[in-house]
Amino acid sequence: TTVSAKVEDAILGRDALAMSLYGKLFDYVVDRINTSLGTVGKNSMERALTVSPQPNEPLYIAFVDPHGYENNSDNGFEQLCINYIDEKLEQAIIKKVFKSEFDTYKSEGLLNDRIDFADNKAVSDLLDKKPQGVLCMLDEACRYPRNTDKSFLQKLTTTHMRSRQNGGAPLISKDKTADDTKFVVTHTCGDTTYDTEGFLETNKDRLGAHLAELLSTTTQCNTLANFYSEDRQDATISVQARSSS
C-alpha cells in the first residue's frame, strides 16, 4: 500500500517513527533485563532509588542516567523536557531519601525534630500537574489546529500570572528582555528562559496510523510486530467506542 504525503509531512513521519522505535526498543531492553534478573513489583524509578534490597527481594541492577539541568543561551522544547526529567528525578529522590526515611526514623523513635530540606514539588507540579502544568497545557493546545506557539504562550503566561495574583508561587513569567515568544521558569537550579517557537509542532505525535499498522503486521521481525500490535488493538477499540457512542 502506498500513502501519498508532502515532503515535509514525510520527513516528520520518518522522524516520529525513529523516535517511536527508539522508545519501544529501550523499554523492551529494560523489561528483558528486569525479567532475567527476576525483578518484579516495582517501577524503574523505585528500583533506581532503593538504597538496599529488602529481605527475600530479588536482586537487580538499576541505572539512573539523567542528562542534567540545561540553561543555554537558546532553550527550546528539548531543554524543557531535559529539565523536566531533572526536576522529576529530584522530586523522587526527595521523597525517598528525605520524606520516606524521616517518617521511618520518626516511627522508630530515632528522630523527633523535623529536618528542613528544599522541596521542588511546586516546580514539578508547575510542569506536569493537570490541568495547568506547562506540558498539560501544551498537549491541550496541540489538540486544536488553530492554536499557535504564540497563543499557547499567551494562555500559559496569563494562567500562571493569575495564579500569582491569587497567592501562587511566581514560578513562571514572561521574558521581558526578549520578544513575545519566550517565557521564564524558575527551576530548582535557577531561572531558565524558553523560546516557544516550534513547541506545538515538536510536541505533536506524527506517527501515522498507517505506519503503526504496517509495522504491526510485518513478518520480517516478530519483535517489531509485537511492539506495535498493542497500539493497533488500542486504536481498534478506540474507533469501535466512538462508533458505538
Side-chain angles (χ1 to χ4, degrees), residues 117-128:
F117 55 87
D119 192 344
N120 73 332
K121 187 177 187 304
V123 186
S124 179
D125 289 347
L126 172 78
L127 296 174
D128 68 0

Side-chain angles (χ1 to χ4, degrees), residues 91-140:
Q91 179 62 200
I93 292 173
I94 287 172
K95 284 183 178 180
K96 180 63 183 179
V97 176
F98 291 102
K99 294 181 178 179
S100 176
E101 294 302 319
F102 176 81
D103 290 340
T104 300
Y105 292 159
K106 188 175 181 180
S107 67
E108 295 176 353
L110 300 177
L111 187 64
N112 293 319
D113 297 330
R114 184 72 190 180
I115 299 176
D116 294 327
F117 55 87
D119 192 344
N120 73 332
K121 187 177 187 304
V123 186
S124 179
D125 289 347
L126 172 78
L127 296 174
D128 68 0
K129 185 176 181 179
K130 295 181 179 180
Q132 296 180 353
V134 176
L135 297 176
C136 300
M137 293 183 70
L138 180 59
D139 287 341
E140 182 68 20

Side-chain angles (χ1 to χ4, degrees), residues 13-30:
R14 176 202 64 191
D15 293 346
L17 178 59
M19 289 188 288
S20 174
L21 281 170
Y22 178 87
K24 288 181 178 294
L25 183 59
F26 184 88
D27 289 343
Y28 172 77
V29 171
V30 171

Side-chain angles (χ1 to χ4, degrees), residues 35-102:
T35 300
S36 66
L37 292 172
T39 305
V40 294
K42 287 188 176 184
N43 61 39
S44 56
M45 184 63 75
E46 288 175 331
R47 286 193 295 269
L49 296 175
T50 299
V51 177
S52 61
Q54 301 299 315
N56 302 320
E57 181 178 335
L59 298 177
Y60 57 84
I61 299 175
F63 296 92
V64 179
D65 186 23
H67 194 286
Y69 176 74
E70 285 195 1
N71 188 5
N72 305 322
S73 56
D74 236 346
N75 300 293
F77 184 71
E78 181 180 351
Q79 280 68 42
L80 178 65
C81 291
I82 290 171
N83 293 340
Y84 166 62
I85 295 299
D86 196 64
E87 295 286 3
K88 295 302 289 185
L89 182 59
E90 177 79 9
Q91 179 62 200
I93 292 173
I94 287 172
K95 284 183 178 180
K96 180 63 183 179
V97 176
F98 291 102
K99 294 181 178 179
S100 176
E101 294 302 319
F102 176 81

